[in-house]
Amino acid sequence: MQTIGFTEEEIDETEKLEIQLLLEAIYLKYGYDYRNYAYPSIRRRIKHRLFAEKLTTITSLLDKVFHDTACFQRLVGDFSINVTEMFRDPPFFKEFKEKVIPLLKTYPSIRIWHAGCSTGEEVYSMAILLQEEGLYDKSKIYATDINSDVLKTAKSGIFPLNAMKKYTNNYLQAGGEKSFSDYYKVTDVGVKFNSDLTRNVVFAQHNLVTDSSFNEFHVILCRNVLIYFNKELQNSVHELFYNSLGMFGVLCLGNKESITYTKLQDYYEAINHHQKIYRKIK
């Protein structure tokens, strides 16, 4: 859009400044730090909220966010990326089963952190895998996300019935050993996964940007979350994960992410670089 008296470059710079001010205001007032999220991603989500609120400028959105906590919560919901599914990327889960499960079987107890768990589909996938391998009873899974609304969905264990065909195919491709339908019941609001799957799961809010380590883990999974952060924030989160992993602990990233080219790359060895599964070695 051309604005009289301003060049496109000047408009872009003004918009960047408005976004910086908005993110700074959110941090100072609410304590949520989105200042180091990848700019193209955060800009798209701000533009979406701008349209949804029927506002014309980011400055007007800043004013509304500053004085209307409900608007702020809607914006935070836009910032939260909730793309997930049961046994997403089946080759990853198959490799995890073949290479990581044997390591976990050597431990008297197992602590696993799903960071950025979204609505919980991968948490339930891991619980199913651990059950089938006879490891669930000695495992504790910590499932965290910044977004309290998606955590409510994760805790409920209720997911759309029309997704079960895809999830079943993923489960079988990942090496599932039973009938996937044994793990849920069909209800009038979707399918409800067995409550036994969350018996050893702790769901909690955690902000990867501002919160610190809260335990020592044998496995950390954070898949396709770091791609929305800039390099500075990625390095910060990698430090958090490194400090949260015990020696020889396993870090699992998304298929578009890597430990390579980070300052901690020499502290890990690849169990499977293609599936982004790494082991802490120093």
Side-chain angles (χ1 to χ4, degrees), residues 56-81:
T56 56
T57 67
I58 296 170
T59 298
S60 60
L61 178 62
L62 186 159
D63 183 67
K64 189 169 184 181
V65 164
F66 211 75
H67 295 96
D68 183 349
T69 55
C71 179
F72 164 69
Q73 292 295 340
R74 291 191 292 270
L75 182 60
V76 168
D78 293 334
F79 287 169
S80 181
I81 314 302

Side-chain angles (χ1 to χ4, degrees), residues 84-99:
T84 186
E85 60 189 46
M86 293 276 189
F87 291 93
R88 179 171 58 168
D89 303 326
F92 163 81
F93 278 94
K94 195 167 186 179
E95 188 69 8
F96 189 96
K97 180 177 180 177
E98 292 176 0
K99 298 290 177 62

Side-chain angles (χ1 to χ4, degrees), residues 182-234:
D182 289 345
Y183 292 107
Y184 63 82
K185 291 181 173 61
V186 178
T187 73
D188 56 354
V189 292
V191 303
K192 166 76 171 163
F193 275 78
N194 300 343
S195 58
D196 190 51
L197 292 172
T198 54
R199 176 169 41 89
N200 291 344
V201 179
V202 176
F203 292 100
Q205 260 189 296
H206 183 275
N207 187 336
L208 289 172
V209 180
T210 58
D211 294 341
S212 58
S213 177
F214 58 94
N215 211 326
E216 184 177 280
F217 299 95
H218 300 102
V219 178
I220 296 176
L221 301 100
C222 185
R223 305 182 63 229
N224 300 313
V225 175
L226 296 180
I227 54 175
Y228 299 104
F229 299 163
N230 68 15
K231 184 61 71 175
E232 178 184 350
L233 185 50
Q234 286 177 9

Side-chain angles (χ1 to χ4, degrees), residues 52-185:
E53 300 292 329
K54 297 182 172 58
L55 300 172
T56 56
T57 67
I58 296 170
T59 298
S60 60
L61 178 62
L62 186 159
D63 183 67
K64 189 169 184 181
V65 164
F66 211 75
H67 295 96
D68 183 349
T69 55
C71 179
F72 164 69
Q73 292 295 340
R74 291 191 292 270
L75 182 60
V76 168
D78 293 334
F79 287 169
S80 181
I81 314 302
N82 304 309
V83 180
T84 186
E85 60 189 46
M86 293 276 189
F87 291 93
R88 179 171 58 168
D89 303 326
F92 163 81
F93 278 94
K94 195 167 186 179
E95 188 69 8
F96 189 96
K97 180 177 180 177
E98 292 176 0
K99 298 290 177 62
V100 180
I101 289 295
L103 300 175
L104 298 183
K105 286 183 176 180
T106 67
Y107 299 139
S109 62
I110 303 164
R111 292 181 301 278
I112 297 174
W113 180 15
H114 275 271
C117 71
S118 187
T119 44
E121 283 88 336
E122 289 192 68
V123 176
Y124 285 85
S125 303
M126 182 58 65
I128 289 169
L129 176 56
L130 292 171
Q131 272 200 2
E132 293 187 357
E133 293 296 326
L135 295 177
Y136 187 80
D137 286 341
K138 67 173 185 176
S139 299
K140 180 75 77 174
I141 302 174
Y142 297 83
T144 68
D145 200 278
I146 191 175
N147 187 327
S148 60
D149 290 333
V150 298
L151 284 173
K152 289 176 185 176
T153 299
K155 287 180 185 179
S156 75
I158 298 173
F159 302 104
L161 176 60
N162 61 12
M164 289 307 110
K165 182 176 180 180
K166 179 173 180 57
Y167 293 176
T168 300
N169 287 335
N170 286 353
Y171 167 75
L172 294 173
Q173 290 177 40
E177 299 173 354
K178 298 183 179 180
S179 172
F180 190 60
S181 59
D182 289 345
Y183 292 107
Y184 63 82
K185 291 181 173 61

